[in-house]
Amino acid sequence: MSTSTGLGVPGYAHPLVARAEWAALTDPGTPLHWVVLDVADGPGDRPDPHCLEAAGRLRNAGVRVLGRIDTAYGARGLGEVISAAHRYLDWYLADGFLLDRCPAGREELPEIRRTVTTLRMIGHSEPHVVLGHGTHPHPGYAEYADQLVTFSGPWSDYRWSQVAEWTAGHPPEKFCHLVHGVPRGHLDEALRIARWQGAATIWFTDRTVRGDGGDGGDGGDLRDPWAAMPGYWDEIVSRLGPGVSE
């Protein structure tokens, strides 16, 4: 992997129940591109003291913190999205946003463009905007976002996945891959796939979705596979090498 490859953390469980996971993210040299903060399926109705502390420690360590906002595949109105963004900015001083469950079709592109344009206007500085499609979207989305999540799913799908040809016109820093159920023995293979497909931001975990059976992952089943640290955290950090937070 290139030295620019780093981790995008899609969101641990609440800091009150995942204290060790959040603390490990501020270890010097951890190759982090960003960490997603999801307080209560969004920013919540009031500032959460535990999340305030976690976000503050990350930002003091120079780590970019993104607020997660669910777009419900385009069904959520612009006003709701911007209201959530304001709360992330006002309470947690978010450096940007992950627009999760982002639509991927051509017909939804104008509304997402409008959303991203508005997000870039409301902050004190230029926010880092990641569109969480989870699949390859219409290529027009790449024009408006800093990064696109072009894969989000299980290892059993990722190992046979194909990259869209249009992505070759963009640098690897444009793309993110989030993969759960990656067995420890296949970690090198997963890293090679990310390199071949041109994704510089990754998150690989052996955690699996409860009830899906995984594909030999040894991290245990969770309702949310991103909620806990990978069982091979130290290994993947060492393979990527020391990082400098963006």
Side-chain angles (χ1 to χ4, degrees):
M1 303 296 288
S2 69
T3 55
S4 63
T5 300
L7 300 170
V9 184
Y12 283 148
H14 191 280
L16 189 61
V17 297
R19 190 178 303 274
E21 281 89 340
W22 285 95
L25 294 177
T26 57
D27 290 345
T30 304
L32 292 172
H33 287 174
W34 39 259
V35 175
V36 171
L37 179 67
D38 187 8
V39 181
D41 195 23
D45 297 325
R46 60 185 63 83
D48 182 300
H50 303 287
C51 292
L52 284 168
E53 180 182 4
R57 286 183 175 178
L58 287 168
R59 298 188 75 256
N60 288 339
V63 177
R64 180 183 279 148
V65 178
L66 307 182
R68 176 187 174 272
I69 303 176
D70 185 2
T71 71
Y73 300 109
R76 197 171 186 191
L78 177 64
E80 286 186 76
V81 171
I82 300 306
S83 174
H86 272 298
R87 280 174 278 158
Y88 273 121
L89 291 169
D90 294 344
W91 298 342
Y92 303 104
L93 303 179
D95 302 295
F97 310 97
L98 168 67
L99 298 186
D100 205 10
R101 298 204 299 164
C102 187
R106 180 196 297 267
E107 58 275 12
E108 296 93 356
L109 179 55
E111 185 61 24
I112 295 301
R113 178 178 59 212
R114 180 184 174 206
T115 299
V116 173
T117 300
T118 306
L119 288 174
R120 296 198 188 283
M121 295 171 58
I122 65 174
H124 299 297
S125 59
E126 184 82 357
H128 188 81
V129 179
V130 180
L131 300 184
H133 308 284
T135 188
H136 287 95
H138 182 276
Y141 286 90
E143 183 178 345
Y144 304 105
D146 295 291
Q147 291 185 293
L148 309 176
V149 179
T150 52
F151 185 92
S152 179
W155 166 245
S156 55
D157 291 340
Y158 187 63
R159 67 186 308 186
W160 308 115
S161 63
Q162 300 292 322
V163 66
E165 291 184 7
W166 64 263
T167 63
H170 299 274
E173 290 75 19
K174 196 75 172 179
F175 303 107
C176 316
H177 290 172
L178 312 177
V179 190
H180 58 78
V182 181
R184 183 185 300 267
H186 289 273
L187 187 54
D188 280 338
E189 182 183 353
L191 292 171
R192 284 195 299 269
I193 292 171
R195 182 183 66 240
W196 292 335
Q197 296 196 8
T201 301
I202 62 168
W203 183 254
F204 297 152
T205 180
D206 48 353
R207 310 297 177 178
T208 57
V209 177
R210 181 176 297 164
D212 74 352
D215 187 28
D218 54 5
D221 293 335
L222 299 167
R223 183 172 291 107
D224 177 2
W226 318 127
M229 181 178 288
Y232 41 63
W233 171 255
D234 290 339
E235 186 174 348
I236 195 169
V237 167
S238 66
R239 292 190 188 204
L240 293 179
V244 178
S245 301
E246 297 181 355

